[in-house]
Amino acid sequence: MIPISPGRSRRATLAGAVCALLVAGTALTGCSEDPNEGTNGVGRLAADQIQTKAQKAAASAGTVRLHGSVQTSGRTYTLDMQLKPQGGIGSVSTEGETFRLLRVGQELYLKADAAFWGKGGDGDGDSKAADKLASKYVKVPEGDPSYTKFIGFTDKNVLLSGLLTLHGKLSTDGHHEQGGTRTVRVTGDNGAGGTLDVSLEGTPYPLRLVRAGQAGTLTFSSWGTDFPLEKPAKDDTLDYGKQLPTS
């Protein structure tokens, strides 16, 4: 059951009473409550305008938390990331392995257990290296393939600019709700090109994205809510060198 605020309930009751009186007096038919009453008004806009407003709102927000899954390069990644222009922190899971990512400025760190680092190893040397790296924030060298592969998950502007664009002909698909907040839904090619739920309350932030081609679903929250972001302590950090183990 979708909770209805007392204010909305009173408005609906009043609208119904007015309609009843008007219909009884044969003055008007087809009277109904405006679904955009009391909202930020984006529900009245064309689909492309709603998408543009959501993109601008996301770009102007200082921080965001995103949670869900994305498919890229043949893999599915489950993300739970907090992002701001200066960097990001959170967890990433793929193929049964989970690790943490932390970026402060251009410095990227990866933290995982011994099983993660030892995966694909073939000897005692690999096992010893895995034990050394386990549970430490390992600094990822900028020249290492992992740097290019994972830094995008910590970059708010890069990540959102690539995600918040639907494909195909845009249209609206009614009013919905996400996490207790009323939304208007925009679709690309009737959903085949993705769907985007945009908040009807306050700033029109994107709240839920279903990517085209079943390439993942993400929810967005904590827009503009700051969080601490700093380099890990020295005794919790390990600089492995110019290249990480191949695993």
Side-chain angles (χ1 to χ4, degrees), residues 40-43 45-60 164 196 198-199 203-206:
N40 55 24
V42 296
L45 302 178
D48 60 334
Q49 293 176 304
I50 298 173
Q51 177 180 254
T52 298
K53 279 190 170 292
Q55 291 171 333
K56 289 182 177 179
S60 64
L164 297 178
L196 182 65
V198 178
S199 177
T203 306
Y205 291 123

Side-chain angles (χ1 to χ4, degrees), residues 89-110:
I89 186 171
S91 65
V92 179
S93 300
T94 182
E95 297 185 352
E97 300 287 350
T98 298
F99 53 92
R100 290 187 65 77
L101 288 177
L102 167 63
R103 181 177 65 83
V104 181
Q106 292 303 114
E107 296 185 3
L108 179 66
Y109 301 88
L110 191 157

